[in-house]
Amino acid sequence: MTTLSPIETKIHPALGEWELPTFLPEDQLPSREGDRVIQFREALREAMSEEMRRDKRVMLMGEEVAQYNGAYKISQGMLDEFGPKRVIDTPISENGFAGMAIGAAMYGLRPIVEFMSWSFSLVAADPILNNAPKMLYMSGGQWGCPIVFRGNDGAGGQLGSTHSWCVEGLFANVPGMKMVIPSNPYDAKGLLKTAITDPDPVFFLESERMLGDKAHVPDEEYYIPFGRARLARAGDACTLLSWGRPVHFCMEAAEALAADGIEVDVLDMRTIRPLDIDSVIESVKKTSRVVVVDQSWPFASIASEVITQIVERAFDFLDHQPKRVNTVDVPTPYNKHLEHAYLPNADRIAEAVRSVVNA
Amino acid sequence: MTDVSAGRERLTDQLSDDVLVSWLYDMQLIREFETRTAQAYQQAKIGGFCHVYTGQEACCVGTIAAMEHDDPIVTAYRDHGHALARGMTPEACMAEMFGKITGCAKGKGGSMHMFDKPNHLYGGHGIVGAQTPLGTGLAFAARYQWEVMGEGSKKVALAYLGDGALNQGSFHEAQNLAGLLNLPVIYIVENNGYSMGTSIERGTTMADNLVLKAKGYGIKGLQIDGFDILNVYNQFKPLVDECRDLQRPGFVDLKTYRYQGHSMSDPQKYRSKDEVEEWKSKDSIAALLSHLMSERSAVTEADWKTMQKDIRDRVKKSVDFAESSPDPEMSELTTDVYANPQPNLSPTEDYRHGVRNPLL
Ligand SMILES: Cc1ncc(C[n+]2csc(CCOP(=O)(O)OP(=O)(O)O)c2C)c(N)n1
Ligand SMILES: [Mg+2]
């Protein structure tokens, strides 16, 4: 009988020889302040381009990524630099090209797949949920799936029900995948570089509404590790936490609350799987109050998950029941005012914080 | 279904007796293996959904014979034949169905999910049609490796599918992508006439000329009698060579028949006993055996008896092996989930690596 030997490498041998980048502690990362101001979309482009320069196995495919320079100009200029064999225009065929990329990842490439919107990934649900995250398990540890799926997530601005999906609530349910939801250009670049160099399938969720956001992004290369939240603002009245675009609504709300003398911790989670619950618990132990903001629907959402974990781990520290602010539990409306009210906006967030602080 | 090479020198005529005898061996091995599989299923030693390959042996053995060993292949859930034809040991295959740690997927895949990295089998896949974009991706990556990275050589990928998968969107998207990007993948429809209880005529258009479907995507297609392994090889090999050389996709409507029900629980009300008997009368193993005995005088009655006995013993041993192998340790439940496990990936689990796959 074969005796089976335990795996002793950090990275699963199904992936072969695999090198992870060096991760520096947060305080040793290059400064977030400076005057090299670029857009969110450029930060994403820099991350992809740097990794494609480093590693020929990395390639980009998706609708309009090459000749059109990207439906949202994220991949602008990449066709010129890398050529049509590495920056590949696909037809509108999400099921087909997502599955194709997964096959390519199994064979040894490290594809980046751009979904014009995560809303359109629903027609690729089978490959991205049934194949990518389960390949390592189903093959008994023979094949992994090093792939990045990325694209716009959440309400883009009056796009209506079909185009405004927040897939995190649905997809983060599946074990085997990692999920990243950055809120700013600096993090987006460092996290995308980590995603491309990670051996597991990564779902990377951007927001059309943030692609034009500008911030300093340093010249030097850096990688941001998964599973580390960023304290975006400090206070001890309440823990306010979110990820992706609503982090900005939280900051707005925090500003308004500060005017009334209510200072809150704002945590930008950055990744959902892994989830830096340790930082959340640390903050909750200080504030004893928590509001979770999530731009997906409330039922069985990430907010539900975060709150469950808080209750499991810090029940005795809570002075008020946790609150969540999700999108309103209806399909996304088209009307501008209705859409604003539907989203977890600053007003709703501030109101939730007041209700737990003043209780 | 005319044999295009009839009257001409056939490719198989240039193959040695040994090669053809090895085909006979592989086909009989699969048949015997599936007989034992069905038995073990009936004894509840194998669980879940289980689909046996009996009747279709010439398809996988004949097509795989035309490939290089490192050409990647991927198939659907009726996958035991492909695994064995590719070189998986009966032990690893049977143990997988018994759910044992010695199985090809450490007992985590089951009958429908046979994976074998050393033999370049990228899985049996349980979702009808899902393997066709994956096979397209194998071809994409293989082409990318020599073209962009300057490594390796020209490969051809095979993506097997059932006739039921002809109607899946994934398959049509896969063909369009392969045609568009010139990918060296051959889609092989193992056309056994039924998807569960639905005959092909009730499921798809142009059922008698499936090649037209590939033509719609600019892909060259062939209709091949998949019950005659010599014919399979003679018609299929030139297509493989062409797809390799020109780095282009191909399509094959491989006509075949399954002798057993769709899965182990199928009363088969949708077809007549006569129909089954008619196909059995043209049995592919019997046909090859007769060729080897009468035309080649390469096998005697006694040889055949010995071979059958060897195979029976070998398969029996694989059942014993599966039976006596241990279940996976409970700790294996949470291994092989992440290649790079990190803290806080799950609220309840702390993922770690377990034991190495027995095939690696
Ligand atoms: C997407 C999907 N739908 C339905 C099923 C259930 N199912 C499994 S096999 C099968 C029939 C497929 O027949 P065919 O493709 O001809 O393959 P064969 O069984 O004849 O080898 C069906 C309906 C499935 N596995 N996946
Ligand atoms: Mg069929």
Side-chain angles (χ1 to χ4, degrees), chain B residues 163 192 194-195:
Chain B
D163 46 291
N192 57 17
Y194 295 92
S195 51

Side-chain angles (χ1 to χ4, degrees), chain A residues 61-63 90-102 113-116 147 149, chain B residues 133 173 177:
Chain A
M61 68 168 82
E63 291 156 22
T90 65
I92 309 157
S93 196
E94 286 82 359
N95 188 353
F97 69 74
M100 180 170 85
I102 290 164
V113 175
E114 177 172 312
F115 289 125
M116 200 179 274
I147 194 165
F149 298 108
Chain B
E173 295 190 22
L177 285 162

Side-chain angles (χ1 to χ4, degrees), chain A residues 337-356:
Chain A
H337 308 293
L338 292 183
E339 189 189 54
H340 180 75
Y342 161 88
L343 291 172
N345 53 54
D347 294 343
R348 288 176 55 207
I349 296 167
E351 190 187 310
V353 172
R354 285 201 174 88
S355 76
V356 302

Side-chain angles (χ1 to χ4, degrees), chain A residues 85-230:
Chain A
K85 295 282 173 201
R86 296 184 69 197
V87 180
I88 296 169
D89 277 327
T90 65
I92 309 157
S93 196
E94 286 82 359
N95 188 353
F97 69 74
M100 180 170 85
I102 290 164
M106 289 175 78
Y107 196 84
L109 303 190
R110 301 183 183 183
I112 306 168
V113 175
E114 177 172 312
F115 289 125
M116 200 179 274
S117 159
W118 276 97
S119 293
F120 312 145
S121 76
L122 298 185
V123 299
D126 183 56
I128 69 175
L129 302 181
N130 231 344
N131 290 331
K134 299 179 184 170
M135 204 58 79
L136 187 65
Y137 200 83
M138 288 218 325
S139 67
Q142 293 189 73
W143 273 287
C145 189
I147 194 165
V148 177
F149 298 108
R150 41 158 293 270
N152 288 315
D153 180 69
Q158 290 198 271
L159 300 182
S161 297
T162 57
H163 283 50
S164 303
W165 267 91
C166 285
V167 295
E168 52 269 41
L170 280 185
F171 292 175
N173 190 239
V174 184
M177 54 90 89
K178 296 177 179 174
M179 185 178 278
V180 182
I181 315 183
S183 73
N184 60 78
Y186 182 100
D187 288 347
K189 180 171 177 186
L191 289 165
L192 184 52
K193 283 169 70 71
T194 302
I196 296 167
T197 49
D198 193 87
D200 288 305
V202 179
F203 288 36
F204 196 94
L205 278 53
E206 300 148 14
S207 163
E208 183 193 334
R209 299 298 291 272
M210 296 196 301
L211 291 176
D213 288 3
K214 288 183 177 167
H216 167 72
V217 171
D219 234 343
E220 58 265 53
E221 286 191 46
Y222 58 99
Y223 294 84
I224 297 181
F226 291 170
R228 303 258 181 85
R230 181 178 67 91

